[in-house]
Amino acid sequence: MAQQKLYAGAKLRETRTRLGLTQRAFAEKLGVSLPYLNQMENNNRPVSTGVVLALAQEFGFDVTELSSGDAERMVTDMREALVDPVFADGAPPLADLRLAASNAPALARAFLELHRAYRQTTERLASMDEALDRENNPARPSAWEEVRDFFHYCDNYIDPVDRAAENFARPHGEHRDVVKAAIDTLERSGINLRASGDSLRRFDPDSGTLTISARASGATRSFQILHQLALVTHGKLLDATLDLARFQSEQARQIARIGLANYFAGAALLPYTEFLATAQEVRHDLELLADRFGASIEQVAHRLSTLQRTGAKGIPFYFVRVDQAGTITKRHSATRLQFARYGGACPLWNVHQAFERPGHFLRQLAETPDGVRYLSIARDVSKPGGAFHAPVRRYAIGLGCEVTHASEMVYADDLDVTKPAAFEPIGISCRICERRDCHQRSIPPLERRLTIDPNNRGTLPYRID
C-alpha cells in the first residue's frame, strides 16, 4: 500500500506563529526555501521527511502532532453533516473535504457550527414542547454537545489538569495512599467524609459533609473522593481552563467543570507517568492495570485513550461506551477511526456483542473502509445498583488501536494479524460508510447512486452502484 502523503499546513503555520518566527526565519531553520515553506503551509506540497526531522531536531517538536486526529475528526463530522437532505446536490468529493479540514480548519469548524445550529433549530420547530424547555437562542448548541466537542477536539487530554493530578498523586505512592491523602486533605479543609446508601456523592457545603455511597464499588468511591478534592482544592485551575474554553452558556461551563473534575480524579487515580510505564510493562492488560491501581476496567480503558502528552505519548487508542440500544454515551479516538456524532456505532463492531457474554473480553480484528486495520477489544461494564430493587445500568466498552501496535497488546496473542481474511469489515455510520455489500446496512450510503429494481430483491431493497 502506498504511503499517504502528509499535508499539515495549518499545523506548520500554528507552530511558526507560536515560536514567533517569520516565514523566512522558519524556512532557514528547516533548511528549505521560502517558496517551498509557503507551498507546504498552504498545502500545495506535502511536508517532506527533511522538514519532519528538522522540526524534531531544531524545536523538539513531537512530529506525531502533524498527523493529529483533528483533520480526520472534522472530515468525519462534515461527511455526516452533508448527508442532511438540505444539501440536495450531494457532498463534495472526499479530497475536497480533507483539503478544507487541513488547510482551512476555522472555516470547517464554522460550517459544522452552522449545520449544528440549523439541525437544532429544525428539531425545535418539530417539537415545540421540547423547545419551551430549552434556552431561547436556537443558534446556540446544546450545552452537552458543546462540552463533548471541547473534550473531543482537545484530544481528550487536558495537560494542566493532568499534571496537577499527577503532582498530587506522586508523593503518596500506591492508590490506597493517594485516596487516604485526598481524605486527609479534605479533612484539613474542614470537610468530613461519611458513608450512606443514598446518592453516589453528595456534598453539603453548609455542614462541610461529603457523603459517598456505601453501595458503590471501591474504585467508584475512590474516584468520587478525588472528584470532590479537585473541586475543593483545584477550583482556580479548573476555572482558568474553563475561561480558555469560552463556553457559550453557563450551563455548558458547569457541565465542563464536572468533566474536568472527573478528569482530575482519573488522572490522580491513574497518574500519567506511572500508569503509562505500567501499561507498557503488562502489555496493556486491563485487568492487571485495574488491580494494580485499584480502578475499574472502564476507568483504565478510558485512561489509556487519554495518554497523549507531548513527548510521552502512549499507544493511540479509541475508546467508546455504548448502552443496550447501541447509543454512544462516551467516545474518544486518538486513532484515524472517528465516531459518528449522531446515531449509534456500526453494528458489526464487537462492542455490541459484549452484552451477550458478560464478564468476558471479546477480541476482534477489524478493517474500516479506508483500509486501516484495528485490533479491538470489548467488554460489558454493567453497574449494579447495590440493592434488589435498584436498577442495573448496563453498558459495554470498546477499546482499540491500529494493528501496527498489536505486538504491544496482550490481547493480540495467538491472533494472526498478517492474514487479511481475519479482519472483519466494519464502518463508522451507515450514512457515511461506502461499503456496497454490508448485510447490516440500515440506510443507503452517501455519494452512491442507487438502483431500485422492484423485480429483484437481494439483502437490501436497492443496489448500490
Side-chain angles (χ1 to χ4, degrees):
M1 184 180 295
Q3 186 175 5
Q4 186 176 358
K5 295 180 180 180
L6 175 62
Y7 291 89
K11 184 66 70 173
L12 280 178
R13 288 196 303 273
E14 176 187 317
T15 302
R16 177 172 60 80
T17 302
R18 188 174 68 245
L19 294 170
L21 296 176
T22 64
Q23 272 196 330
R24 185 176 298 279
F26 196 44
E28 289 176 357
K29 289 184 176 294
L30 296 179
V32 298
S33 67
L34 180 58
Y36 193 89
L37 173 63
N38 185 272
Q39 288 178 319
M40 284 191 294
E41 287 194 354
N42 287 284
N43 281 336
N44 294 323
R45 281 179 179 267
V47 178
S48 67
T49 303
V51 168
V52 171
L53 294 175
L55 284 168
Q57 294 171 356
E58 287 287 334
F59 307 109
F61 186 78
D62 185 352
V63 296
T64 60
E65 293 186 14
L66 288 176
S67 56
S68 65
D70 281 7
E72 286 302 317
R73 290 187 185 99
M74 281 191 283
V75 168
T76 300
D77 291 349
M78 285 192 289
R79 293 185 71 197
E80 275 201 275
L82 288 162
V83 178
D84 197 308
V86 71
F87 301 106
D89 294 333
L94 183 58
D96 288 357
L97 296 181
R98 285 177 171 155
L99 183 63
S102 59
N103 203 34
L107 180 62
R109 289 192 182 97
F111 165 75
L112 292 172
E113 288 295 324
L114 181 62
H115 177 261
R116 180 164 58 182
Y118 162 79
R119 178 186 172 94
Q120 195 167 37
T121 301
T122 303
E123 289 174 351
R124 291 187 181 193
L125 290 173
S127 178
M128 294 304 295
D129 288 339
E130 182 180 2
L132 292 174
D133 292 333
R134 295 189 179 208
E135 298 182 37
N136 294 325
N137 183 359
R140 176 179 292 171
S142 72
W144 189 258
E145 285 180 328
E146 194 178 1
V147 173
R148 181 188 63 183
D149 285 351
F150 165 71
F151 284 100
H152 185 55
Y153 283 104
C154 283
D155 235 1
N156 208 28
Y157 175 74
I158 314 296
D159 189 71
V161 178
D162 205 301
R163 291 183 185 274
E166 184 175 30
N167 290 337
F168 173 80
R170 184 180 290 116
H172 305 298
E174 293 188 0
H175 71 273
R176 296 179 183 84
D177 297 325
V178 173
V179 176
K180 183 179 183 303
I183 295 172
D184 292 343
T185 302
L186 289 172
E187 289 179 346
R188 288 196 297 272
S189 301
I191 297 173
N192 297 313
L193 181 68
R194 72 181 186 91
S196 172
D198 300 327
S199 301
L200 183 60
R201 174 180 52 83
R202 186 176 68 253
F203 176 61
D204 183 353
D206 295 330
S207 64
T209 303
L210 173 62
T211 305
I212 302 293
S213 174
R215 296 174 180 172
S217 67
T220 298
R221 291 198 300 271
S222 298
F223 187 90
Q224 294 301 326
I225 290 170
L226 289 164
H227 175 104
Q228 194 66 46
L229 177 76
L231 295 176
V232 171
T233 64
H234 290 76
K236 291 183 178 179
L237 172 63
L238 302 186
D239 287 335
T241 306
L242 294 169
D243 289 342
L244 293 173
R246 297 181 179 180
F247 289 108
Q248 297 184 44
S249 70
E250 181 61 26
Q251 187 180 34
R253 182 183 176 95
Q254 292 305 319
I255 293 173
R257 201 168 196 271
I258 293 173
L260 290 176
N262 282 338
Y263 189 102
F264 180 97
L269 194 62
L270 307 164
Y272 195 103
T273 304
E274 181 186 358
F275 181 73
L276 174 60
T278 307
Q280 293 170 340
E281 175 191 338
V282 301
R283 299 181 60 222
H284 302 86
D285 188 312
L286 270 64
E287 291 171 293
L288 289 180
L289 288 169
D291 182 66
R292 184 81 62 92
F293 289 91
S296 69
I297 296 291
E298 181 179 346
Q299 288 168 351
V300 167
H302 186 271
R303 182 57 167 154
L304 285 172
S305 74
T306 70
L307 300 181
Q308 295 299 300
R309 180 179 293 177
T310 300
K313 291 188 177 184
I315 292 177
F317 282 106
Y318 73 73
F319 169 80
V320 64
R321 189 182 75 177
V322 302
D323 63 18
Q324 287 181 279
T327 305
I328 297 175
T329 60
K330 287 184 180 179
R331 65 182 176 95
H332 170 64
S333 179
T335 71
R336 282 179 280 182
L337 186 151
Q338 301 300 325
F339 300 114
R341 293 172 63 86
Y342 312 111
C346 173
L348 298 179
W349 278 356
N350 61 347
V351 68
H352 301 290
Q353 301 167 16
F355 292 109
E356 302 170 10
R357 299 190 63 193
H360 291 79
F361 281 94
L362 306 184
R363 302 181 297 173
Q364 180 184 39
L365 295 175
E367 181 176 348
T368 48
D370 57 4
V372 182
R373 293 174 176 171
Y374 296 88
L375 167 64
S376 304
I377 59 174
R379 191 183 189 278
D380 80 299
V381 287
S382 297
K383 301 180 179 183
F388 179 74
H389 292 292
V392 176
R393 293 181 297 156
R394 300 201 66 194
Y395 298 103
I397 59 169
L399 184 73
C401 63
E402 293 188 19
V403 77
T404 52
H405 301 286
S407 62
E408 302 172 63
M409 298 283 289
V410 66
Y411 303 100
D413 291 353
D414 71 42
L415 295 179
D416 188 355
V417 299
T418 64
K419 186 179 179 182
F423 290 84
E424 185 170 4
I426 65 170
I428 297 174
S429 166
C430 286
R431 297 189 301 174
I432 59 175
C433 179
E434 298 180 357
R435 296 192 188 281
R436 301 183 183 186
D437 55 354
C438 178
H439 59 283
Q440 288 291 135
R441 177 173 292 284
S442 59
I443 57 176
L446 174 69
E447 297 177 346
R448 291 290 185 184
R449 187 182 301 275
L450 304 180
T451 297
I452 314 296
D453 184 354
N455 299 317
N456 186 12
R457 167 63 194 256
T459 304
L460 301 173
Y462 48 79
R463 188 178 75 247
I464 302 171
D465 296 331

